[in-house]
Amino acid sequence: MIYITRRERFNAAHKLFRPEWTDEQNLEVFGKCSNPNWHGHNYELYVTVKGQINPETGFVIDLKELKTIIKTHVTDALDHKNINLDVNFMKDKMASTEVLAVAIFEQLKPLIDAQNAALHSIKLYETENNFVEYFG
Amino acid sequence: MIYITRRERFNAAHKLFRPEWTDEQNLEVFGKCSNPNWHGHNYELYVTVKGQINPETGFVIDLKELKTIIKTHVTDALDHKNINLDVNFMKDKMASTEVLAVAIFEQLKPLIDAQNAALHSIKLYETENNFVEYFG
Amino acid sequence: MIYITRRERFNAAHKLFRPEWTDEQNLEVFGKCSNPNWHGHNYELYVTVKGQINPETGFVIDLKELKTIIKTHVTDALDHKNINLDVNFMKDKMASTEVLAVAIFEQLKPLIDAQNAALHSIKLYETENNFVEYFG
Amino acid sequence: MIYITRRERFNAAHKLFRPEWTDEQNLEVFGKCSNPNWHGHNYELYVTVKGQINPETGFVIDLKELKTIIKTHVTDALDHKNINLDVNFMKDKMASTEVLAVAIFEQLKPLIDAQNAALHSIKLYETENNFVEYFG
Amino acid sequence: MIYITRRERFNAAHKLFRPEWTDEQNLEVFGKCSNPNWHGHNYELYVTVKGQINPETGFVIDLKELKTIIKTHVTDALDHKNINLDVNFMKDKMASTEVLAVAIFEQLKPLIDAQNAALHSIKLYETENNFVEYFG
Amino acid sequence: MIYITRRERFNAAHKLFRPEWTDEQNLEVFGKCSNPNWHGHNYELYVTVKGQINPETGFVIDLKELKTIIKTHVTDALDHKNINLDVNFMKDKMASTEVLAVAIFEQLKPLIDAQNAALHSIKLYETENNFVEYFG
């Protein structure tokens, strides 16, 4: 078993808030992340796939195909978008890094597992100081 | 003459658009940066100050003071904010990296020049692939 | 189960030596790290916490609280300090990266486990080329 | 059990191709990586070793010895070389990152396991966007 | 006047040698960079353009156009190629970072100067430890 | 004229203080940098050399020779040392980044200018957030 990781990036806006709470409650729990007019990040996404090495190609998975899957099903939906408003797979969810990492994992899992390989993990950086990892 | 640089960071939302243009015109000129619901970035700001070394302290400028000036007059106004909507010194301006760099320079120039040193330049990263420099 | 990581930094002096050994013995085992007058590093500390996502906030742990715990109990004690001389939880210990990582883990473990989450690991960079990981 | 990692670097040329295939077949499967005249990379290699901390030194393994082992048995053989043509332990193998990571692991495993420690993993970056991990 | 920079990357093979010299002479002058079977690098290219800010767009230059110019005239010619053998604008030149930076500058200068902006400089990283800058 | 830069690194201890001042005065001016028991940093040093390209080699300066000059005259003197106590060319000087950058420039200037090239600048990082540049 060997693990290969592809890094992709997307730039998006979001805020952390619960619509049923007052602005004061949102500010108390989410701090400056609750700014009503949004803020944003350069997200870095690491997608790790595991499998056996194909003896003919030396590959676990063709990185060109992996790149296309991530772009088509994840980063095109997120890049230069508002995570709370514009992204189908984040509808009615909290736009936290944790919830976003799980949603990306669920988007990619069936698509990558159909490639003779398996999705191992998602690692998602919100800033250079904070990141989340999810293994399913 | 010696140059000292301080790096600070802020995370903000913005969009590039002209309100008097249609969405189609904005899309044609600004591409995905014109998304009506905003997107955002982790901006990195480098503030470079030049001056003589104070022989008593070995400093051009006290970095604690420089840090306080940048925070009070620039990054507190931008961090976790919407550059188009929330920032006084960007009111009625295009929220491009170029225009933002010039506006930050103009915020800091009089404050730093009052410190026995001079503001030399602003360098502003929007992503790991794009940055702007302004020298006044 | 999901994992969230916070990066913090501290700048400290240390040396590697055993007081009961001669300078020659220390030099032979520890090389230039045994310089009697100390040397130092910009340490980078990654604290990884695991837990369930709170459905109300989307958080595993409030990063503001995690940041406060790390600052109060670890980085305030280490930053701009001498690890061998100034740090209570390193008293009478070797100031190696391995021993420091274990000591930081033990400082943080009870405090983070009281937060409805669990400390998963400590990753500590001494230089860009060397780092240590400890999982308890 | 604690884990310590050493980063080393090497710059090498390679191509991905099967000599029994036509250039068209190689291009279809390996894309621009099949360029007959080679291309190359700045590889980054992370070698992770696990073990108990020696109470006398505070070390899992002496990093100077680890560095010498990696240099003598891996990076001297790869640095400023052609992976397909110049490297004994890659003879008759595909020069993919996956296959290279496995080969480096096999080179280092017996040498590091003789040091009162154990090789835990190899992590090999081909570019800033692609890396492979192998745990044996 | 304001300066904007775009980073691009390419992975290429090369060697440093003079065909009229013996292998021994090449080795003496160029060291391991003269390996007859080539080696390679992940090059990082920074293209800096200067000009006035267009008041309508907030741009010095449209980065999408700049990216297209760099790709079409520089990185497509270099990426996954052999600099000595495959690149028209490096024909009969030494494949050093210095010479390559000058050649890239000369490729881009007339194309960027036709955009109401001016090419200011090329910065080219060969490794994380070595880079070259050329201002024309 | 073309510019080439070499990055080197050293890890050192220092403190900022004036012996004729009380601890309170030192603390007021230098903050936590005045800790009597020292602290330290992983310094990053960028040495930039300018000159004409030698048409025979494609080089401004042989980087192997530049590396040897920097190592012999600067980094061997600083690495794993105490800047205030162990370094001849910093004797009786403030151990600030500004003063250290100037001292390194003065060490290197005559040695590099003897190489058919000229020292252009020293850039010295103390942390990822602070650096100094000196051009003579």
Side-chain angles (χ1 to χ4, degrees):
Chain A
M1 188 71 77
I2 196 162
Y3 299 76
I4 191 160
T5 299
R6 175 79 193 166
R7 184 182 77 121
E8 297 289 343
R9 296 172 297 112
F10 56 92
N11 309 319
H14 79 146
K15 67 178 168 183
L16 298 179
F17 76 113
R18 297 198 66 84
E20 71 273 23
W21 290 357
T22 63
D23 280 6
E24 289 68 31
Q25 282 177 295
N26 276 300
L27 185 63
E28 193 189 322
V29 174
F30 297 116
K32 56 189 180 180
C33 296
S34 70
N35 178 35
N37 285 332
W38 320 97
H39 66 284
H41 297 288
N42 300 341
Y43 290 90
E44 278 191 74
L45 171 65
Y46 292 81
V47 177
T48 300
V49 172
K50 64 185 167 193
Q52 303 295 326
I53 298 177
N54 177 328
E56 200 162 50
T57 60
F59 290 164
V60 169
I61 190 172
D62 184 333
L63 280 179
K64 293 186 299 296
E65 286 176 31
L66 178 58
K67 200 174 161 178
T68 302
I69 292 171
I70 300 171
K71 182 172 156 47
T72 311
H73 298 276
V74 174
T75 51
D76 276 357
L78 287 160
D79 190 34
H80 285 74
K81 294 288 164 58
N82 183 309
I83 299 173
N84 301 67
L85 301 180
D86 295 332
V87 183
N88 276 340
F89 62 79
M90 288 298 290
K91 218 184 175 75
D92 302 323
K93 297 184 183 172
M94 290 298 297
S96 72
T97 318
E98 290 93 327
V99 171
L100 182 55
V102 171
I104 291 171
F105 188 96
E106 289 171 356
Q107 283 294 105
L108 291 176
K109 182 75 178 156
L111 299 161
I112 289 172
D113 291 0
Q115 301 286 318
N116 273 332
L119 179 60
H120 176 65
S121 66
I122 291 300
K123 185 175 181 176
L124 183 62
Y125 275 81
E126 191 184 59
T127 72
E128 67 181 40
N129 292 330
N130 302 329
F131 64 84
V132 157
E133 287 168 290
Y134 184 61
F135 300 83
Chain B
M1 188 72 76
I2 196 162
Y3 299 75
I4 191 160
T5 299
R6 174 78 194 167
R7 183 182 78 123
E8 296 290 342
R9 295 173 297 113
F10 57 92
N11 309 320
H14 79 146
K15 66 178 167 184
L16 298 179
F17 76 114
R18 296 198 67 84
E20 71 273 23
W21 290 357
T22 63
D23 280 5
E24 289 68 30
Q25 283 177 294
N26 276 299
L27 185 63
E28 194 188 321
V29 174
F30 297 117
K32 57 189 180 180
C33 297
S34 70
N35 178 36
N37 287 331
W38 319 96
H39 67 283
H41 297 289
N42 300 340
Y43 289 91
E44 278 191 75
L45 171 66
Y46 291 80
V47 177
T48 300
V49 172
K50 63 186 168 193
Q52 303 295 326
I53 298 178
N54 177 328
E56 199 161 50
T57 60
F59 290 164
V60 169
I61 190 171
D62 184 333
L63 280 179
K64 294 186 298 296
E65 286 176 32
L66 178 57
K67 199 175 161 179
T68 301
I69 292 171
I70 301 171
K71 182 173 156 47
T72 310
H73 298 276
V74 174
T75 52
D76 277 356
L78 287 160
D79 190 35
H80 285 75
K81 294 289 165 58
N82 184 309
I83 298 173
N84 302 67
L85 301 179
D86 296 332
V87 182
N88 277 339
F89 62 80
M90 288 297 290
K91 215 183 178 75
D92 301 323
K93 296 184 182 170
M94 289 299 298
S96 72
T97 318
E98 289 94 327
V99 172
L100 181 55
V102 172
I104 292 171
F105 188 96
E106 289 171 356
Q107 283 295 106
L108 291 176
K109 183 73 178 159
L111 299 162
I112 289 172
D113 290 359
Q115 302 285 318
N116 274 331
L119 179 60
H120 176 66
S121 66
I122 291 299
K123 185 176 181 177
L124 183 62
Y125 275 81
E126 191 184 59
T127 72
E128 67 182 39
N129 292 329
N130 302 329
F131 64 85
V132 157
E133 287 168 289
Y134 184 61
F135 300 82
Chain C
M1 187 72 75
I2 196 162
Y3 299 76
I4 191 161
T5 299
R6 174 79 193 165
R7 182 182 78 124
E8 297 289 344
R9 295 172 297 113
F10 57 92
N11 309 320
H14 79 145
K15 66 178 167 183
L16 298 179
F17 76 114
R18 297 198 67 85
E20 72 273 23
W21 289 358
T22 63
D23 280 5
E24 289 68 31
Q25 282 177 296
N26 276 300
L27 185 63
E28 193 190 321
V29 173
F30 297 116
K32 57 189 179 180
C33 297
S34 71
N35 177 35
N37 285 333
W38 321 96
H39 66 284
H41 297 288
N42 299 341
Y43 290 90
E44 278 193 74
L45 171 65
Y46 292 80
V47 177
T48 300
V49 172
K50 64 186 168 191
Q52 303 294 326
I53 297 178
N54 177 329
E56 201 162 51
T57 60
F59 289 165
V60 170
I61 190 171
D62 184 333
L63 280 179
K64 293 187 299 297
E65 286 176 31
L66 178 57
K67 200 175 161 177
T68 302
I69 292 171
I70 300 171
K71 182 172 155 49
T72 311
H73 297 277
V74 174
T75 51
D76 277 357
L78 286 160
D79 190 36
H80 285 74
K81 295 288 165 58
N82 183 308
I83 299 173
N84 301 67
L85 301 179
D86 296 331
V87 183
N88 276 339
F89 62 78
M90 287 298 289
K91 216 183 175 75
D92 301 323
K93 296 183 182 171
M94 290 299 297
S96 72
T97 318
E98 290 94 326
V99 171
L100 181 55
V102 172
I104 291 171
F105 188 96
E106 288 171 356
Q107 283 295 105
L108 291 176
K109 182 74 178 157
L111 299 162
I112 289 173
D113 291 359
Q115 300 286 317
N116 273 333
L119 179 60
H120 176 65
S121 66
I122 291 300
K123 184 175 181 176
L124 183 62
Y125 275 79
E126 192 185 58
T127 73
E128 67 182 38
N129 292 330
N130 302 328
F131 64 85
V132 157
E133 287 168 290
Y134 184 63
F135 299 83
Chain D
M1 188 72 75
I2 195 161
Y3 299 75
I4 190 159
T5 300
R6 175 78 194 166
R7 183 182 78 123
E8 296 290 343
R9 295 172 297 112
F10 57 92
N11 309 320
H14 79 146
K15 65 178 167 184
L16 299 179
F17 77 114
R18 295 197 68 83
E20 71 273 23
W21 290 357
T22 63
D23 280 6
E24 289 68 32
Q25 282 177 296
N26 276 300
L27 185 63
E28 193 189 323
V29 174
F30 297 116
K32 56 189 180 181
C33 297
S34 70
N35 178 36
N37 286 332
W38 321 98
H39 66 283
H41 297 288
N42 299 341
Y43 290 90
E44 279 193 72
L45 171 66
Y46 292 79
V47 177
T48 300
V49 172
K50 65 186 168 192
Q52 303 295 325
I53 298 177
N54 177 328
E56 200 162 50
T57 60
F59 289 165
V60 170
I61 190 172
D62 184 332
L63 280 178
K64 293 185 299 297
E65 286 177 31
L66 177 58
K67 199 175 161 179
T68 302
I69 292 170
I70 300 171
K71 182 172 156 48
T72 311
H73 298 277
V74 174
T75 51
D76 277 357
L78 287 160
D79 190 35
H80 285 74
K81 295 289 164 57
N82 183 308
I83 299 173
N84 301 67
L85 301 180
D86 296 331
V87 183
N88 276 339
F89 62 79
M90 288 299 290
K91 215 183 177 76
D92 301 323
K93 296 184 182 170
M94 290 298 298
S96 73
T97 318
E98 290 93 325
V99 172
L100 181 55
V102 172
I104 291 171
F105 188 96
E106 288 171 356
Q107 283 294 107
L108 291 176
K109 182 72 178 160
L111 299 162
I112 289 173
D113 291 1
Q115 301 285 319
N116 273 332
L119 179 60
H120 176 65
S121 66
I122 290 300
K123 184 175 182 176
L124 183 62
Y125 275 80
E126 191 185 58
T127 72
E128 67 182 38
N129 292 330
N130 302 328
F131 64 85
V132 158
E133 287 168 289
Y134 184 61
F135 299 84
Chain E
M1 187 72 75
I2 196 162
Y3 299 76
I4 190 160
T5 300
R6 175 78 194 167
R7 183 182 77 124
E8 297 289 343
R9 295 172 298 112
F10 57 92
N11 309 320
H14 79 145
K15 66 178 168 185
L16 299 179
F17 75 113
R18 296 197 68 84
E20 71 273 24
W21 290 357
T22 64
D23 281 5
E24 288 68 32
Q25 282 177 295
N26 276 299
L27 184 64
E28 194 189 320
V29 173
F30 297 117
K32 56 190 181 181
C33 297
S34 70
N35 177 36
N37 286 331
W38 320 96
H39 66 284
H41 297 289
N42 300 341
Y43 289 90
E44 279 192 74
L45 171 65
Y46 291 80
V47 177
T48 299
V49 173
K50 64 186 168 192
Q52 303 294 325
I53 298 178
N54 176 329
E56 200 161 51
T57 60
F59 290 164
V60 170
I61 190 172
D62 184 332
L63 281 179
K64 293 186 298 297
E65 286 176 32
L66 178 57
K67 200 176 161 177
T68 302
I69 292 171
I70 301 171
K71 183 174 155 49
T72 310
H73 297 276
V74 174
T75 51
D76 277 358
L78 286 160
D79 190 34
H80 285 74
K81 294 288 164 57
N82 184 308
I83 299 172
N84 302 66
L85 301 179
D86 296 332
V87 183
N88 277 339
F89 61 80
M90 288 298 289
K91 215 181 177 76
D92 301 323
K93 296 184 181 170
M94 289 298 298
S96 73
T97 318
E98 290 93 328
V99 172
L100 181 55
V102 171
I104 292 171
F105 188 96
E106 289 170 356
Q107 283 295 106
L108 291 176
K109 183 73 179 158
L111 299 161
I112 290 173
D113 290 0
Q115 301 285 319
N116 274 332
L119 179 60
H120 176 65
S121 66
I122 291 300
K123 185 175 182 177
L124 183 62
Y125 275 80
E126 190 185 59
T127 73
E128 68 181 39
N129 292 329
N130 302 329
F131 64 84
V132 158
E133 286 168 290
Y134 184 62
F135 300 83
Chain F
M1 188 72 75
I2 196 162
Y3 299 75
I4 190 159
T5 299
R6 174 77 194 167
R7 183 182 76 124
E8 296 290 342
R9 295 173 297 113
F10 57 91
N11 309 319
H14 79 146
K15 65 178 167 183
L16 298 179
F17 76 113
R18 295 197 68 84
E20 71 272 24
W21 290 358
T22 63
D23 281 6
E24 288 67 32
Q25 282 176 295
N26 276 300
L27 184 63
E28 195 190 320
V29 174
F30 297 115
K32 57 188 179 181
C33 296
S34 70
N35 178 36
N37 286 332
W38 320 96
H39 66 284
H41 297 288
N42 300 341
Y43 289 90
E44 279 192 72
L45 171 66
Y46 292 79
V47 177
T48 300
V49 173
K50 65 185 168 193
Q52 303 295 326
I53 298 178
N54 177 328
E56 199 162 51
T57 59
F59 289 165
V60 170
I61 190 172
D62 183 333
L63 281 178
K64 294 186 298 297
E65 284 176 32
L66 178 57
K67 200 175 161 178
T68 302
I69 292 170
I70 301 171
K71 183 172 155 48
T72 310
H73 297 276
V74 174
T75 51
D76 277 358
L78 286 160
D79 190 35
H80 285 74
K81 294 289 164 58
N82 184 308
I83 298 172
N84 302 67
L85 301 180
D86 296 332
V87 183
N88 277 339
F89 63 78
M90 288 298 289
K91 214 180 178 78
D92 301 322
K93 297 184 182 171
M94 290 298 297
S96 72
T97 318
E98 289 93 326
V99 172
L100 181 55
V102 171
I104 291 171
F105 188 96
E106 288 171 356
Q107 283 295 106
L108 291 176
K109 182 73 178 160
L111 300 161
I112 289 172
D113 291 0
Q115 301 286 317
N116 273 333
L119 179 60
H120 176 65
S121 66
I122 291 300
K123 185 175 182 177
L124 183 62
Y125 276 80
E126 191 184 59
T127 72
E128 67 182 40
N129 292 330
N130 302 328
F131 63 85
V132 158
E133 286 168 291
Y134 184 61
F135 299 83

